[in-house]
Amino acid sequence: MRATSMLASRSRFRTLALWTAIATIVLFAIGGLVRGTGSGLGCSTWPACEPGRLFPSGTIHSLIEFSHRTMAFVVAILTALMGVAAIRGLRTEPPLRWPAILAFPLVLVQAGLGAVVVATDLDPWWVTAHFVTALLLIADVTYVAATAATAGERSPAARSGSAGSFAHLTVATAGAVGLLLLVGTYVRASGAQLVFTDWPLMDGRLVPGLGGGATAMFLHRVLAAVAMLFVLWTAIRARTDAERRSVLVRLSTIALVLFVAQILVGAANVWTRLRPWAVVAHVALAVLIWATVIALATVATVWGRRAATVADPEANPEQPGRSFRDTVTAYYRLTKPRIVLLLLITTVPAMLLAARGFPSPWLILATLAGGALAAGSANAINMYLDRDIDAIMRRTRQRPLPAHTIAPERALRFGFVLGAIAFYLLAITVNVLAAVLALSAIAFYVFVYTMWLKRTTAQNIVIGGAAGAVPALVGWAAVTGGLAWPAIVLFAIVFVWTPPHFWALAMRYSGDYAAAGVPMLPVVRGEAETRRQILLYSLLLFATTLILVPVGSMGPLYTAAAVLLGGTFVYRALRVWRTADEARTRRLFSFSILYLGALFAAVGVDALLPR
C-alpha cells in the first residue's frame, strides 16, 4: 500500500513539474510579446497596473503587460505548490528536491526585478538581470520536469565513457546557448540590434570596426555561430551513437530545427527593421531553444550517471604505444587526402576561367587552403558516420576508425574543427559566398548523402555527387564574389562525371557493399544495368562538356580536349557495356580520374591564352 502511495505521489509530482515548466515557458514567451510590442511600460505601476487600478484600462499595451503579470502569478502558484510537494515527498532525493524548492524563490526574485525594470524605465542592465533570472528559472523548472520524467526509467547499458562524454557535450551546448542568449539580451536592451543594417555581414564586412554597440552585436553573431556548431554536433552525436536513445535524438533534432529557425528570424529582425512579429518570434524561439537544450542536458546527464559500466571496444580504441607521427598520419588519413586533391583540381581552373587570367596567388592559396579544410572536414565526419560499414568492407577496414587508431568522438571533433576553420578562413580571406558554398558542401555530403541517401537508395551517388561538384562554384565565387552560367556548367560536369566514375569502382566491390547493406547500383540493379548506366552517363558527360564551349566562350584548346577526352571516355564505357570484363572496368575507373584532371587543366590553360 505504501509503495502504491509513493508511486501515485511521484506521478502527481511529475505532472505538476511538467505543467510548471510549460507555464514558465509560456510566461517568458509572453514576455517576448511584451518586448516586441513595446508594452514593457503598458502598466505604469507595480503590482497594480495603473495608479489606483489593479486591472488595465483596456489599451492594447496595458492588456499585453497585464497578461504577462497574470501568467507570472500563475507560475508563482505552481512553483509554490511544486516546492511544497518536494518538501513533503522528495526527502530522499536531494538532487531533485532542492531545485524544486528553489523555483518559487526564483519567481519572487524575478518579480522583484520586474518591478525594478518598470521603476528604472527599462534600464539595459536591469533588463539584462531580469532576463538572466528568467533563464535560471526556466533552467530550474525544466531540469525538475525532465528529471522527474526520467525517474524510474531504465537507462541503456551505455558504453564506458560514451554516455558521460555525450552528457558533457550537452552541458557545453547549453552553456554556449545560455551565453548567446545573455549577450543577445544586452544587445536588445541597449538598442544595438540595428547597429548593423546588413546580414549576414556587418557594414559589408565579416569583422567590422568595433566599439560600443558594434562590439556587442559582433560578439552576439560570433556566439551564434559557435552555439550553432555545438547544437549541430550534439544532434549528429545523438543520432549516430551506437546505442542511441530516441528521446535524445528527438530533443537534439528539435533544438537544431529551432536554432536554424532562430537564425532566420534573427536575420528577419535586421531585414524588417525590428518589425514586432520578428522580435516576438526571436524571443519566443530563444525561450524554446533554452528549455530544449536544458531538457536534453538533463536527460543525458541523468542517464549518463545511471548507465552501467560495460566493456567497450570503442571507449578507448587507440592502440597503445603509437608514436606522434603515427597519430598525425591517422588524422591525415581521416581527411581522405586523395579525394581532397581530386576536388581541388576543379577549383583552380574555375578561378582562372572566372578571372580570364591568373588571379592573385594569395587568393588562390587561401581558396585552396579553405577548400582542402572543408573537404577534409566532410570526409572525417563521413568516416565517423560510416565506421560500422567501413569495418565490414575489405577496401575500408584499414581506415583509422575501424582499425582503432583514433577514437570515434575525436574523429568527429576533428571534422567539426576543420569545418569551422574552413568557413572562417574562407569568409575572412576570400568572401562570405565562397565560405557558405563550402559549408553547404559539407552539410550536403554529411546530411543528404552520408546520413540519408547512401543507405536508402541506389541513386545515392547520383544525387550525392553534388557535394563533390561544389569546389568549382567555390573557385568561381572566390574570384567574382558571385556565380554565373560558366560556373554552373563546371559544376554540372563534375556532377555528371561522378556516377560513371564511382560505379566503375562499386562494380569491383559490389560484394562488400552487399555485405554492408549499402544499396549501390551494382547491388540493387546488377552489373549489366550498371554498365548500361555508365555508358549513358558518359554520353551525357560528353554533351555537358561541350556546353561549356559557347557558355564559357572557350577556345580551340579546350574544345579539342573535350572532344578527345570525351570521345575516349565514351569509347571505354562502350567497351565496358559490351563485355563484362573486370579489367576494363578497373581501367575505366583509373581513366576517369585522369580524364577529370586533364579536362579541367584544359579549362585553366584555355583561360590563360590570349583571345
Side-chain angles (χ1 to χ4, degrees):
M1 181 67 69
R2 183 177 179 182
T4 303
S5 177
M6 289 179 63
L7 289 174
S9 176
R10 178 168 292 281
S11 177
R12 288 193 297 269
F13 180 81
R14 183 185 298 117
T15 302
L16 177 60
L18 176 62
W19 282 108
T20 302
I22 293 174
T24 305
I25 293 171
V26 171
L27 167 64
F28 293 107
I30 296 175
L33 180 63
V34 171
R35 288 175 56 187
T37 57
S39 302
L41 298 177
C43 290
S44 57
T45 61
W46 194 93
C49 187
E50 299 173 2
R53 294 174 59 94
L54 175 62
F55 297 100
S57 59
T59 64
I60 184 64
H61 292 301
S62 63
L63 289 172
I64 292 174
E65 172 60 17
F66 189 75
S67 68
H68 182 241
R69 294 187 181 185
T70 301
M71 197 66 202
F73 178 75
V74 172
V75 170
I77 297 298
L78 289 173
T79 52
L81 292 174
M82 187 173 68
V84 172
I87 292 172
R88 295 180 60 184
L90 298 177
R91 296 176 182 177
T92 61
E93 300 182 55
L96 183 58
R97 185 186 190 212
W98 289 112
I101 295 173
L102 178 64
F104 181 67
L106 281 175
V107 171
L108 297 181
V109 172
Q110 176 75 354
L113 287 173
V116 174
V117 167
V118 173
T120 58
D121 291 331
L122 306 180
D123 178 81
W125 287 107
W126 284 113
V127 171
T128 304
H130 188 242
F131 190 74
V132 170
T133 310
L135 293 180
L136 293 174
L137 177 58
I138 294 173
D140 183 80
V141 297
T142 303
Y143 168 82
V144 172
T147 303
T150 57
E153 291 188 11
R154 290 188 60 188
S155 172
R159 299 183 175 193
S160 176
S162 175
S165 65
F166 182 74
H168 294 157
L169 174 60
T170 59
V171 171
T173 300
V177 171
L179 185 59
L180 168 65
L181 297 181
L182 176 61
V183 174
T185 300
Y186 180 78
V187 168
R188 164 66 180 169
S190 61
Q193 308 99 301
L194 294 181
V195 67
F196 305 118
T197 57
D198 50 348
W199 190 95
L201 300 179
M202 291 162 279
D203 288 340
R205 294 183 294 175
L206 191 66
V207 181
L210 302 180
T215 301
M217 177 53 77
F218 176 68
L219 179 60
H220 179 59
R221 293 195 182 181
V222 170
L223 287 173
V226 172
M228 178 64 187
L229 289 176
F230 270 103
V231 172
L232 178 60
W233 186 1
T234 302
I236 292 178
R237 279 288 310 276
R239 185 171 292 275
T240 59
D241 190 76
E243 294 161 343
R244 71 187 206 176
R245 291 284 291 199
S246 59
V247 66
L248 297 179
V249 173
R250 287 196 296 268
L251 285 173
S252 60
T253 302
I254 290 171
L256 179 60
V257 171
L258 289 174
F259 207 98
V260 172
Q262 178 75 319
I263 291 175
L264 297 176
V265 171
N269 272 265
V270 177
W271 295 335
T272 65
R273 301 298 188 266
L274 301 178
R275 293 291 294 271
W277 70 265
V279 176
V280 171
H282 202 49
V283 177
L285 284 170
V287 172
L288 292 174
I289 291 169
W290 177 240
T292 303
V293 296
I294 291 297
L296 175 63
T298 300
V299 174
T301 301
V302 170
W303 280 345
R305 289 172 180 170
R306 296 176 187 167
T309 302
V310 296
D312 176 17
E314 285 196 355
N316 185 22
E318 297 184 16
Q319 299 172 2
R322 294 183 60 84
S323 67
F324 175 77
R325 180 179 179 179
D326 291 338
T327 301
V328 171
T329 301
Y331 277 100
Y332 174 70
R333 289 179 57 209
L334 271 180
T335 65
K336 300 182 183 177
R338 292 182 180 178
I339 295 178
V340 171
L341 179 61
L342 190 62
L343 294 177
L344 295 182
I345 285 175
T346 65
T347 304
V348 174
M351 298 180 72
L352 298 178
L353 183 60
R356 284 295 175 181
F358 213 92
S360 163
W362 290 111
L363 179 62
I364 294 177
L365 181 62
T367 305
L368 290 179
L373 290 172
S377 167
N379 290 330
I381 298 173
N382 168 267
M383 281 204 185
Y384 170 82
L385 296 172
D386 281 351
R387 63 191 186 279
D388 56 337
I389 61 177
D390 282 349
I392 298 174
M393 297 177 60
R394 292 171 298 167
R395 184 172 64 91
T396 56
R397 285 175 186 169
Q398 297 307 311
R399 285 178 175 176
L401 294 184
H404 302 308
T405 56
I406 296 177
E409 293 174 13
R410 293 184 180 180
L412 179 62
R413 190 180 303 123
F414 177 66
F416 263 80
V417 170
L418 287 184
I421 295 174
F423 177 81
Y424 286 111
L425 176 64
L426 288 170
I428 292 172
T429 62
V430 183
N431 57 55
V432 174
L433 178 58
V436 170
L437 287 170
L439 188 63
S440 70
I442 297 175
F444 192 91
Y445 188 67
V446 170
F447 291 102
V448 178
Y449 173 66
T450 304
M451 296 182 68
W452 176 28
L453 297 174
K454 185 172 183 177
R455 306 189 190 211
T456 59
T457 173
Q459 296 301 307
N460 46 22
I461 201 63
V462 176
I463 305 171
V470 170
L473 301 180
V474 173
W476 189 280
V479 174
T480 66
L483 295 175
W485 282 111
I488 303 300
V489 176
L490 291 175
F491 171 91
I493 289 173
V494 182
F495 180 78
V496 177
W497 165 87
T498 303
H501 160 74
F502 195 87
W503 284 333
L505 177 68
M507 288 177 62
R508 183 180 179 186
Y509 295 100
S510 59
D512 279 356
Y513 284 116
V518 179
M520 286 295 175
L521 188 64
V523 176
V524 176
R525 304 286 296 276
E527 290 194 0
E529 175 62 19
T530 303
R531 293 197 302 272
R532 189 178 76 88
Q533 291 290 333
I534 288 175
L535 176 59
L536 293 177
Y537 270 90
S538 67
L539 291 170
L540 180 60
L541 175 63
F542 192 10
T544 306
T545 60
L546 296 180
I547 293 175
L548 186 63
V549 176
V551 172
S553 301
M554 307 305 294
L557 175 64
Y558 169 81
T559 304
V563 171
L564 178 62
L565 292 169
T568 305
F569 200 117
V570 171
Y571 172 72
R572 288 176 176 269
L574 182 62
R575 296 185 68 189
V576 167
W577 174 60
R578 286 179 172 175
T579 307
D581 188 340
E582 183 178 341
R584 288 181 177 178
T585 304
R586 288 200 306 268
R587 287 195 292 270
L588 176 63
F589 171 76
S590 300
F591 175 77
S592 68
I593 299 174
L594 175 64
Y595 167 87
L596 189 69
L599 183 73
F600 272 80
V603 171
V605 174
D606 192 278
L608 295 175
L609 295 177
R611 288 290 185 269

